[in-house]
Amino acid sequence: MPGSDELVALYDRDGSVVGETTRARVRAEALWHAAGVVLVRSGDGNAVYVHLRTPDKDVFPSTWDCWAGGVVAAGETPAECARRELAEELGVRGVEPVPLFTKVYDDGRNRCHNFAFEVRWDGPIHHQAEEIVEGRWIPLDELRAWIDDPAPALPFIPDGREGVQEWFHRYG
């Protein structure tokens, strides 16, 4: 698995950093960790950028997502992670992610504190080919219908679904 030796921040159930370990160990032992995730909205706020994850992702492959993001590296803050992942995955730079909330996701195999951020962006999007197959802008009402559909035609990432449902509950 690419990046399996990468050192990531190890968190506890309550959301505090308690050390560091490898990404492979986090995945193998279902350890608590964190991610910085960023919702990319159009400048007018009426649309969100969604993207299809590659089939070789280590978690939730070939699913659609509306959050650019990834695992918090050892020694990195969630905000630093959010900026880094936004630049790596979508090529979005020069805009500061605004903190929103933390959404805990625990399905028994994946235990993560998702630190959610948002940016407004009308510039170009450049996909990281190793992580993203394709992407597009969709209006907020279409995103809401997609994530509220119990059996959507296109698979949506489970933790991202919970995160955007929380976003709609708080802000939409």
Side-chain angles (χ1 to χ4, degrees):
M1 171 186 356
S4 63
D5 292 334
E6 170 190 8
L7 284 180
V8 300
L10 187 63
Y11 279 65
D12 64 16
R13 179 184 309 271
D14 297 322
S16 298
V17 177
V18 294
E20 62 185 44
T21 192
T22 63
R23 177 190 283 270
R25 184 168 170 237
V26 163
R27 298 298 185 216
E29 299 177 31
L31 299 176
W32 282 100
H33 60 288
V37 299
V38 185
L39 186 70
V40 180
R41 294 175 63 195
S42 58
D44 64 10
N46 294 325
V48 171
Y49 197 79
V50 297
H51 61 274
L52 179 61
R53 296 163 59 89
T54 58
D56 59 351
K57 293 289 288 178
D58 61 340
V59 176
F60 306 123
S62 299
T63 55
W64 285 87
D65 198 355
C66 63
W67 301 93
V71 175
V72 175
E76 184 178 52
T77 68
E80 290 167 338
C81 176
R83 283 190 296 276
R84 174 178 55 78
E85 291 287 346
L86 187 61
E88 287 176 5
E89 289 185 2
L90 300 180
V92 175
R93 293 174 174 79
V95 59
E96 187 63 25
V98 175
L100 297 174
F101 54 83
T102 303
K103 179 70 174 145
V104 174
Y105 182 79
D106 181 1
D107 67 5
R109 294 180 320 275
N110 301 291
R111 293 183 166 103
C112 188
H113 300 277
N114 286 314
F115 291 85
F117 297 82
E118 179 181 311
V119 296
R120 299 286 180 102
W121 182 256
D122 284 325
I125 300 286
H126 301 285
H127 298 152
Q128 181 181 27
E130 298 82 13
E131 297 204 24
I132 297 175
V133 174
E134 64 178 281
R136 63 179 176 266
W137 292 98
I138 66 169
L140 284 174
D141 60 339
E142 287 183 28
L143 178 61
R144 184 187 298 265
W146 189 0
I147 59 124
D148 286 345
D149 185 342
L154 300 174
F156 205 92
I157 191 168
D159 63 336
R161 175 186 303 275
E162 288 186 14
V164 80
Q165 285 171 330
E166 181 68 21
W167 184 88
F168 276 121
H169 174 74
R170 290 176 182 236
Y171 306 106

